[in-house]
Amino acid sequence: MKRSLAATAVMGAMVLAGCGEREPAEVAPAAGEVAVEAVAPAADAPAGTRLAPPAGAATARPAAEGAPAFAVIYPGGTPGGPATVAQGPEGPGGIVTFSTDATPAAVVAFYRERAEAAGLKSINTMNRGDSMGYAAGDGADGRGQLLSVVATRIEGEPTSVQLSWTAGR
């Protein structure tokens, strides 16, 4: 329970860290699957190393209908339920939780690559025990695009991931 509250607090702080204006991100297809363009390197892999997607998972699904291309479910991830989506001043956004057998480091590396490919800039990273977090946005001159992910590994359990995004105006 404490880990869940801590992860939620960290994610909330990261979400509040990025706002601004810029061109909207490429939007993921409404109901299809998106080919994995970037794959997470292993935590101990040399810089620049890219690995194949997780076994049996060649694609990443959009986190929700109309979500930007950087907001996808990690390949092979199992959603805990449908995403919660809303419309706000910075445009449409949402939050979804899922689990995966990947390490928190691999999950964060995957989302960092997707964010950078979409033109987002790193805002914040967090590494505390078995939890890792990452946030990226389009900056003060942007349109309000934001990605935030917190991945927590609990011994004997899959990694629990909370992903939130704002698509921008």
Side-chain angles (χ1 to χ4, degrees), residues 40-43 74 100-109 130 132 151-153 159 161:
Y74 186 85
T100 178
D101 289 331
T103 65
V107 171
V108 166
D130 294 333
M132 292 187 77
T152 303
R153 176 70 116 195
T159 297
V161 181

Side-chain angles (χ1 to χ4, degrees), residues 68-96:
F70 56 80
V72 296
I73 302 294
Y74 186 85
T78 305
T84 301
V85 294
Q87 178 70 35
E90 299 298 328
I95 187 167
V96 67

Side-chain angles (χ1 to χ4, degrees), residues 52-68:
T59 59
R61 300 179 315 269
E65 186 173 328

Side-chain angles (χ1 to χ4, degrees), residues 56-169:
T59 59
R61 300 179 315 269
E65 186 173 328
F70 56 80
V72 296
I73 302 294
Y74 186 85
T78 305
T84 301
V85 294
Q87 178 70 35
E90 299 298 328
I95 187 167
V96 67
T97 60
F98 61 92
S99 61
T100 178
D101 289 331
T103 65
V107 171
V108 166
F110 172 81
Y111 286 103
R112 179 185 303 266
E113 274 198 47
R114 288 196 77 90
E116 289 173 357
L120 302 181
K121 300 170 193 137
S122 293
I123 295 172
N124 193 5
T125 58
M126 182 271 303
N127 184 358
R128 174 129 180 141
D130 294 333
S131 293
M132 292 187 77
Y134 172 74
D138 59 4
D141 297 334
R143 296 181 52 90
Q145 298 168 334
L146 183 67
L147 167 75
S148 176
V149 62
V150 176
T152 303
R153 176 70 116 195
I154 299 171
E155 190 173 327
E157 299 289 326
T159 297
S160 174
V161 181
Q162 185 173 30
L163 171 70
S164 64
W165 71 93
T166 302
R169 291 176 250 135

